[in-house]
Amino acid sequence: MSELFKNKEWDSDFFKRNIYTVELDTLGNKIESWPKNSLITVKIDANNYQSLAHINNHDFSFVEGELVFKKVLPVTENVTSLTDFESYLATEGSLVELKCVVTDLYVNSRFREPWFTSLERDRFYQKWIENAVLAKFDDCCLVLKVDDTISGFVTVRIRGSEATIGLIGVAAPFQGKGIGKQLLQLVQKYSMAKNATVIKVATQTSNISAANLYEKDGFSITDISYWFYKQV
């Protein structure tokens, strides 16, 4: 295998296919040999004009844009105690319901047809939510409920002073009722209790409602990038 390509081991194992990325610096050159029966994925920063120009020479397809939002958390002496969040923490007993909530929730994900089936997409996000609840990737999953039914959830990972929202979603019956805003307020309070000073979240460029939600809450765009795929 050429050193130009790097196997994305977790992705390849999970989706049971060969998934690679390619070094951006090589896109300006002619690539003689591509890994057969593989999906090549590339993420390019919006300011990397050279790579964006070169990608068209290799028959890649544009998949989706990605926006990263960031917000500086306010400094306050009235930080909520971590014990106050215990009732919001999802447990293993919530997994069946959470996996039902995420089914068909992320239809605009980059894990889309024709490269991934809807079943593969849903299985990916179900695994993500499971890992968050079990603290295997994100630190935890916070949930809101209405009459003991999960109305929304948000996963978060905190490293040092920076919090990163992994997944945020509102169950279909509760959409359009302000649950997304409540989830943002909840995860920010939790992050402040964990001594985070900034919080970040990413979404697709096509997810206008999410982008508007973050902007209204005081987040600002700090990064824009684009995903491209090539099926070999």
Side-chain angles (χ1 to χ4, degrees):
M1 176 61 62
S2 170
E3 295 182 358
L4 303 178
F5 303 97
K6 180 180 179 181
N7 182 266
K8 303 181 74 170
E9 295 182 1
W10 191 93
D11 301 62
S12 296
D13 181 66
F14 183 81
F15 291 108
K16 306 302 180 186
R17 69 181 77 171
N18 294 321
I19 301 178
Y20 293 87
T21 188
V22 61
E23 294 293 335
L24 294 182
D25 292 342
T26 67
L27 292 176
N29 304 320
K30 183 177 181 180
I31 300 177
E32 298 289 350
S33 179
W34 296 80
K36 295 181 179 180
N37 301 316
S38 301
L39 179 66
I40 316 298
T41 69
V42 179
K43 182 181 180 181
I44 303 178
D45 188 274
N47 293 319
N48 190 343
Y49 304 117
Q50 187 175 50
S51 292
L52 288 172
H54 290 157
I55 198 76
N56 293 322
N57 298 327
H58 298 287
D59 297 322
F60 276 82
S61 298
F62 172 73
V63 179
E64 181 61 89
E66 180 177 298
L67 303 173
V68 177
F69 289 83
K70 181 178 179 180
K71 180 180 179 179
V72 176
L73 295 171
V75 178
T76 176
E77 295 180 356
N78 300 317
V79 176
T80 308
S81 171
L82 280 173
T83 57
D84 293 335
F85 294 97
E86 291 180 358
S87 62
Y88 296 101
L89 292 171
T91 64
E92 289 188 53
S94 307
L95 279 175
V96 172
E97 185 176 3
L98 281 168
K99 288 182 178 181
C100 288
V101 171
V102 301
T103 300
D104 289 330
L105 191 61
Y106 299 108
V107 294
N108 292 325
S109 163
R110 69 180 180 89
F111 297 100
R112 63 176 60 162
E113 296 180 340
W115 303 282
F116 299 93
T117 67
S118 58
L119 290 177
E120 288 177 316
R121 176 202 66 211
D122 287 343
R123 191 166 64 90
F124 171 82
Y125 288 107
Q126 289 167 356
K127 186 62 176 179
W128 189 332
I129 203 79
E130 177 182 322
N131 284 343
V133 171
L134 300 178
K136 290 184 177 181
F137 181 64
D138 289 338
D139 297 341
C140 67
C141 176
L142 304 169
V143 297
L144 292 176
K145 294 184 178 182
V146 175
D147 297 329
D148 291 327
T149 298
I150 293 176
S151 58
F153 66 89
V154 57
T155 73
V156 62
R157 180 174 67 257
I158 300 176
R159 299 294 180 267
S161 61
E162 183 175 277
T164 302
I165 294 173
L167 291 179
I168 183 169
V170 177
F174 301 97
Q175 291 176 6
K177 299 181 179 181
I179 301 298
K181 182 177 180 179
Q182 293 178 43
L183 288 168
L184 276 184
Q185 294 172 345
L186 176 63
V187 73
Q188 287 175 75
K189 290 179 179 178
Y190 176 84
S191 299
M192 291 166 63
K194 296 282 284 186
N195 299 315
T197 58
V198 296
I199 187 167
K200 298 172 70 174
V201 61
T203 192
Q204 298 89 2
T205 52
S206 60
N207 196 342
I208 297 174
S209 60
N212 287 336
L213 174 66
Y214 302 141
E215 288 183 346
K216 288 180 181 179
D217 199 73
F219 285 75
S220 57
I221 296 174
T222 60
D223 183 64
I224 303 175
S225 54
Y226 304 106
W227 283 95
F228 298 86
Y229 292 169
K230 177 183 175 73
Q231 186 71 54
V232 183

